[in-house]
Amino acid sequence: METEKARLPEDVALNCGYLLSRLGFESRRRFTESIAHLGIRPAHYGVLAVLAESAPVAQTELAEALGADRGWLVGLLDELEAKGLVRRASDPRDRRRHAVSLTPEGKRCRREAGRIARRVEGELLRGLAPGEREHLRTLLRQMAP
Amino acid sequence: METEKARLPEDVALNCGYLLSRLGFESRRRFTESIAHLGIRPAHYGVLAVLAESAPVAQTELAEALGADRGWLVGLLDELEAKGLVRRASDPRDRRRHAVSLTPEGKRCRREAGRIARRVEGELLRGLAPGEREHLRTLLRQMAP
DNA sequence: TATTGTTATACTCTATAACTATA
DNA sequence: TATAGTTATAGAGTATAACAATA
């Protein structure tokens, strides 16, 4: 048995895919924790954020804007509706469609969670100078599409 | 119902936490897919990589090097052992401890998966110039400690 | 026949705690 | 009593397919 401490090799620890995966997980974990007192999880926040900008909207379009499956969205909307944060109204012109929109409480929750998201981002980037933060944002944005 | 497409607001789409989480997930997804033919998942690769550098090592130390729980490691080692990629030998000086190490096949698998990791990283960063890639790596490393 | 919302299922990753055998 | 390994459980996130109502 070796006496030296076991450690992750450099080629892994410096791989951007590994770093992104690790930091991405940590980022989500912190945000989840920081909005828990609002009674929502990150996925709920995504729904509220889209609705704040584009409501009313049908569920399929909402799922598409989130890059998610429409079946997965149903449960989230059930929870958000039960909390009084969103409304589902059936569209009179096409009764298959539900027009989803935010309630006033939903709008407040989105704003508050948005403030928290900015704060958590600040904590996550605390090791970087302001210029570096913007450069990182640019690089990530460039990879994202 | 609005006619314009629903979309994610800018303050979310440009939040570094959101971008990291999204890219981290995508990165892991691609790597998982790319090593599937080796019969391992990313977590197995982490184990192999640590062992390639620091074996033999006890399971608790291995888990610590991976930033993981020792209970979670057990199942991974069972699978790796069943595939003939790692060996567990009981330490004669302390029979509670298992000295874990790589088999020759385990070493080969680690090298092959390492090559794949570099390739996947290259594909992930294809939108960035070489200098930008190194800058990104530096920024991520700076956040990671 | 195609689409919208719904329901069900399964699989992975993660977190936690309790159990055993050794020390 | 403390530690190493093991086992069991539960929750969240994701992916997939099949279903009923409506177009």
Side-chain angles (χ1 to χ4, degrees), chain A residues 28 41 69 72 94-96:
Chain A
R28 164 179 290 265
R41 282 167 284 136
D69 183 83
W72 171 77
D94 182 345
R95 278 158 41 215
R96 289 174 307 181

Side-chain angles (χ1 to χ4, degrees), chain B residues 38-49 51 62 66 73-88 100-103 105-106 109-110:
Chain B
L38 297 178
I40 61 171
R41 281 167 285 135
H44 297 116
Y45 173 59
V47 173
L48 298 181
L51 289 177
L62 184 50
L66 292 164
L73 182 61
V74 174
L76 287 181
L77 289 177
D78 288 346
E79 294 168 339
L80 287 169
E81 206 173 19
K83 286 182 188 307
L85 302 179
V86 310
R87 241 189 324 263
R88 275 191 271 212
V100 186
S101 58
L102 286 184
T103 64
E105 294 98 308
C109 186
R110 183 271 191 264

Side-chain angles (χ1 to χ4, degrees), chain A residues 31-144:
Chain A
F31 185 51
T32 302
E33 192 174 272
S34 301
I35 60 173
H37 69 282
L38 297 177
I40 62 171
R41 282 167 284 136
H44 296 114
Y45 173 59
V47 172
L48 298 181
V50 172
L51 289 176
E53 190 135 305
S54 346
V57 65
Q59 292 184 197
T60 298
E61 291 171 49
L62 183 50
E64 205 172 312
L66 292 163
D69 183 83
R70 69 184 199 280
W72 171 77
L73 182 61
V74 174
L76 286 182
L77 288 177
D78 288 346
E79 294 168 339
L80 288 168
E81 206 174 21
K83 285 183 188 307
L85 302 179
V86 310
R87 241 190 322 263
R88 276 191 268 210
S90 67
D91 184 337
R93 289 167 309 187
D94 182 345
R95 278 158 41 215
R96 289 174 307 181
R97 297 166 78 84
H98 291 176
V100 186
S101 58
L102 287 183
T103 64
E105 293 97 310
K107 285 177 190 159
R108 271 197 296 276
C109 186
R110 183 269 191 266
R111 278 194 299 270
E112 177 60 14
R115 276 191 289 272
I116 294 172
R118 278 190 296 281
R119 177 168 60 74
V120 171
E121 185 195 36
E123 292 165 7
L124 202 67
L125 303 179
R126 73 191 181 290
L128 305 183
E132 292 176 322
R133 299 183 186 195
E134 287 316 309
H135 197 173
L136 175 65
R137 192 192 315 282
T138 304
L139 292 171
L140 295 177
R141 194 73 183 90
Q142 208 169 331
M143 295 175 59

Side-chain angles (χ1 to χ4, degrees), chain B residues 26-92:
Chain B
E26 174 64 11
S27 164
R28 165 180 288 265
R29 195 190 61 72
R30 290 196 200 187
F31 185 50
T32 302
E33 192 175 272
S34 302
I35 60 174
H37 69 282
L38 297 178
I40 61 171
R41 281 167 285 135
H44 297 116
Y45 173 59
V47 173
L48 298 181
V50 172
L51 289 177
E53 189 134 309
S54 344
V57 65
Q59 293 185 197
T60 298
E61 291 171 49
L62 184 50
E64 205 172 310
L66 292 164
D69 183 84
R70 70 184 198 279
W72 171 78
L73 182 61
V74 174
L76 287 181
L77 289 177
D78 288 346
E79 294 168 339
L80 287 169
E81 206 173 19
K83 286 182 188 307
L85 302 179
V86 310
R87 241 189 324 263
R88 275 191 271 212
S90 67
D91 185 338

